Amino acid sequence: MEEDRVFSSSEEELPYEADRSVTAESQKYLLFLSGGLLFGAGAEYVVEIITNHQITTLPLVPSYVRGIINLRGQIIPIVDIRLLLGQEPADENCIIILNIDDTLVGVLVDTVQRMLDVPTNTLLPAPSHDQQKLVSGMCSLGEGQTMLVFDCHQLLTQS
């Protein structure tokens, strides 16, 4: 009977089952701009986004490390993506706090755009350029935009 199918509790017969497989094959990214490039950081790494926070500079650190911040009692290093990629620093920016292998790192970016689901089958390998050492892949988002997949683990291994 048709009524039995509508009220069935079996997951195999539910009409939205096909939609679950689409969701399982996508990944969430936080899109941000830095130096004219559109990056996407995996949502699983993003802790929070902060603005107007005082950065304390440190001596004897690499030039791309802008300093540290005290965020609710935790000292977090701040890395400027523009400087890491060999560009000039920006006047206006915000900080994305990332949790990479239980290590908190702040990433200084120009602007944060939005959170986006990207189908994993649209991701392509990154071209091999020294400038793009923080990129693990890329994909086209339409409207002429290309998202570079930000490799969070490479951020911790910079020398």
Side-chain angles (χ1 to χ4, degrees):
M1 289 195 179
E2 191 63 34
E3 289 178 18
D4 292 337
R5 294 192 112 181
V6 172
F7 297 107
S8 174
S9 63
S10 170
E11 289 188 25
E12 295 174 19
E13 297 177 14
L14 294 176
Y16 58 85
E17 185 65 31
D19 292 341
R20 285 188 189 169
S21 64
V22 171
T23 308
E25 295 175 6
S26 68
Q27 187 172 356
K28 283 193 179 302
Y29 289 94
L30 176 67
L31 299 182
F32 63 89
L33 284 171
S34 189
L37 298 172
L38 180 65
F39 290 95
E44 67 271 16
Y45 297 107
V46 178
V47 176
E48 65 183 292
I49 301 164
I50 58 176
T51 58
N52 300 326
H53 212 84
Q54 181 65 38
I55 299 174
T56 305
T57 57
L58 296 174
L60 306 173
V61 294
S63 62
Y64 59 85
V65 177
R66 290 283 291 268
I68 57 171
I69 62 170
N70 184 338
L71 185 64
R72 293 183 292 279
Q74 286 192 294
I75 305 301
I76 301 173
I78 304 299
V79 175
D80 190 333
I81 297 301
R82 283 176 159 259
L83 294 176
L84 193 57
L85 295 175
Q87 300 173 346
E88 293 295 318
D91 294 331
E92 294 185 24
N93 46 46
C94 61
I95 300 171
I96 302 172
I97 305 296
L98 302 173
N99 184 343
I100 307 165
D101 295 333
D102 295 325
T103 301
L104 292 180
V105 177
V107 178
L108 203 59
V109 301
D110 296 351
T111 60
V112 173
Q113 285 194 340
R114 66 187 187 273
M115 195 68 85
L116 180 70
D117 278 322
V118 176
T120 54
N121 63 354
T122 63
L123 295 174
L124 302 171
S128 57
H129 294 289
D130 287 339
Q131 284 185 323
Q132 303 303 333
K133 54 190 163 193
L134 295 174
V135 176
S136 63
M138 57 193 297
C139 74
S140 177
L141 299 179
E143 301 173 12
Q145 290 185 316
T146 299
M147 178 191 82
L148 302 173
V149 178
F150 187 72
D151 191 341
C152 295
H153 289 280
Q154 285 296 321
L155 190 62
L156 296 181
T157 61
Q158 296 302 306
S159 55

